[in-house]
Every structure is written in C-alpha cells, then in structure tokens.
Amino acid sequence: MRSRFSINNYSNLGQRAITGLFGALLIVGGCIYSEYTYFLVFAGILGFSQMEFYKLSGLDGMLPLRSFGTFLGLMIFCLTFLVQQEHLSDKYFFLIFPIVSITFFIKLYRKTDKKPFTGVAYTFLGLFYVAVPFSLLNLAVFSVDATYNYEIIIGCLLILWASDTGAYFAGTKFGKTKLFERVSPKKSWEGFLGGAFSAIGVAFALTRYFHVIEDWKWLVIAGIIIIAGTYGDLIESLFKRSIEIKDSGKGLPGHGGFMDRFDGLLLSAPFITAFLKIF
C-alpha cells in the first residue's frame, strides 16, 4: 500500500523547511511576475493575518468585527495600490474615514455586546497593526519613479527571511543569554546576532544584483529589519503570551500562523517605507 504524502509526517524543522520553500517560491514568483500577482499574494497574506488577529482577540474575550474589519483592511490595501498605480487620485484616501466610521454604527445595533467600545477598539487595532503596515508596502514598491519595482519587496523579504533563519539556527545551536525572557524565554542574544549577521550578509549580496536603490540603502534597510523585525517578533510574543497560546494559527505547518511568519514585517514596513520616501 502506498503511503500518502503528509507534511505532518515530518519533524517540525522539516515542516518548517517545506512550508518555507513553497511559500517563498509563491511569494517571490508572484512579486516578479507582475504588480497584479504581487497585489494578489499580499492581499491574501493581509486577509489571513488580519482574520488571525481578530480570532485571537476573540479568545481573550474581545468582540471585534472580524469580517468587516478584514474587509476594511483589504479596502485600504486596494486603495493604496490603485493610488500608487495612478489609477485613482489620492483624494480617494478620504473615503477611508467615513467607511471605517461605519464600525460604530454596526456596534450600535449589536445588542449582545456588553462592551461595544472594546470591540471597536480591537477592530481599529487590527487595522493599524496588520492592514496599515501591509498597505505601506505599496508605497515602498512604488517609491522609485512611481513605477512598480519588485526588487524592493523581494530584497526586503530576503533580508527578513535571512534574519529569521539565522536567528533560528544560531539560537538553537548557541543560545544561552536570554534576550527578553519575560516575553519570549527561547529568544537569545546569540540568536539575535546570528540573525543580524545573516541579514547584513544578504544586504551586501543585494548591492551586487539589485540596483533600483543605492547600495547604502540596502544596509540601512537591513538595520531596520534587524531591530524593528526583532521587536515585531517580541510584540507578537507578548500578545500571544497575554492570551496564553503558542501560535497565532495553524495555517503554515512548522511556522504556526500567518502572523507568526510575518510579525517582523508588520513592524518593519512602516520604518522601511518612511525611510524610502524621505531619502
């Protein structure tokens, strides 16, 4: 009898490697193929991540508007993409405010909510924590000559993945000195340094092959990802610790949920976009 392939038959490291490989191929392929496949890939990641956030909030007794909040996040992402493409004028950003305000009307008519404003607050938090950072990526990839540049998003992702991978293996092999034990007992300074060296190495490699921005900017982006990405990981660990769960979801075997995999990007994206826009 033939044995059926199941990723669950592999160790955690094996699951992590398989999921990471297929995920990376899908994301990199989507970013390279066209700006529209980039849009679909990251709209999907945003949607799953925001649904996870609202689900976790529900586990802690909060009642955010899960479906409507995710719709708002996707709307903001879509709007920024179309404005950056110059298919829409930036005046359409003003649509965000009245549409987001509908959240109050929905909560007003929900009789079962004992603390409606807590639900409103967590709905908005999902937008600021998940949707806004992903939407800012649209500003980053269109930051040079107002045209889509896949090198920017792929470069940032390669640095982020190198940082995560280096931190994982260095921490597993050499980790002894706790980085932030109160929030994440397994993270170590040795892992942080391993991730930093890996990220800087990839940034130097990008200066040879990706020329859409100046070489020194890749090194600055690496520094942003090393610091902000680490804090992003710690902040999500704090969030999960507060509701006593290990992973944000089970959608990515070996990695947990989408928020587990992209937590570093959530905090890095605003700093990267601001840096590219200002300089």
Side-chain angles (χ1 to χ4, degrees):
M1 181 180 294
R2 294 181 179 179
S3 60
R4 294 183 178 180
F5 171 80
S6 174
I7 195 170
N8 294 323
N9 294 331
Y10 292 83
S11 66
N12 182 266
L13 180 59
Q15 293 180 25
R16 189 181 184 92
I18 294 171
T19 303
L21 176 61
F22 281 100
L25 289 174
L26 175 64
I27 294 171
V28 171
C31 291
I32 292 176
Y33 188 76
S34 77
E35 58 200 274
Y36 297 103
T37 49
Y38 149 81
F39 170 81
L40 291 175
V41 166
F42 276 90
I45 295 172
L46 186 160
F48 284 118
S49 299
Q50 200 163 352
M51 290 288 279
E52 279 184 359
F53 175 81
Y54 289 139
K55 180 181 178 181
L56 296 181
S57 301
L59 294 177
D60 201 29
M62 309 304 167
L63 294 173
L65 297 177
R66 187 175 177 184
S67 298
F68 186 67
T70 304
F71 162 75
L72 291 175
L74 290 170
M75 180 202 71
I76 294 171
F77 182 79
C78 184
L79 192 57
T80 54
F81 180 77
L82 293 174
V83 170
Q84 290 302 304
Q85 275 193 316
E86 298 183 347
H87 290 328
L88 289 178
S89 167
D90 57 4
K91 67 183 179 182
Y92 286 97
F93 278 134
F94 288 102
L95 287 173
I96 294 174
F97 304 105
I99 295 176
V100 168
S101 297
I102 295 174
T103 304
F104 293 102
F105 302 148
I106 295 174
K107 279 293 184 180
L108 180 65
Y109 285 95
R110 288 206 169 179
K111 300 178 181 178
T112 56
D113 288 6
K114 295 181 179 179
K115 295 183 178 180
F117 274 84
T118 303
V120 170
Y122 272 80
T123 302
F124 289 166
L125 180 58
L127 295 177
F128 284 105
Y129 183 44
V130 180
V132 169
F134 277 116
S135 299
L136 287 173
L137 290 177
N138 291 327
L139 278 67
V141 298
F142 286 94
S143 62
V144 180
D145 300 326
T147 58
Y148 173 70
N149 293 282
Y150 70 81
E151 290 183 0
I152 292 177
I153 184 63
I154 290 180
C156 291
L157 289 172
L158 290 176
I159 293 172
L160 178 66
W161 293 338
S163 178
D164 288 345
T165 303
Y168 177 81
F169 284 106
T172 302
K173 180 97 175 151
F174 306 108
K176 292 181 179 180
T177 311
K178 301 300 181 182
L179 178 65
F180 211 119
E181 188 172 10
R182 177 174 62 86
V183 173
S184 186
K186 291 184 178 180
K187 289 181 174 57
S188 65
W189 278 105
E190 291 82 2
F192 172 79
L193 292 175
F197 281 122
S198 299
I200 292 171
V202 169
F204 271 112
L206 291 174
T207 63
R208 299 193 60 184
Y209 300 104
F210 286 3
H211 305 295
V212 67
I213 57 176
E214 294 92 331
D215 292 351
W216 67 273
K217 290 184 179 179
W218 285 120
L219 300 177
V220 173
I221 288 174
I224 291 172
I225 288 173
I226 291 167
I227 297 172
T230 300
Y231 274 109
D233 197 350
L234 290 170
I235 288 168
E236 203 218 345
S237 295
L238 179 64
F239 177 49
K240 291 187 295 183
R241 197 174 184 82
S242 69
I243 53 179
E244 300 179 344
I245 62 167
K246 182 177 181 293
D247 297 321
S248 67
K250 299 179 180 179
L252 300 173
H255 295 271
F258 283 85
M259 286 183 63
D260 292 316
R261 195 65 192 92
F262 295 98
D263 52 7
L265 189 61
L266 293 178
L267 208 64
S268 299
F271 291 94
I272 293 170
T273 303
F275 167 68
L276 291 175
K277 283 296 187 180
I278 294 171
F279 296 98

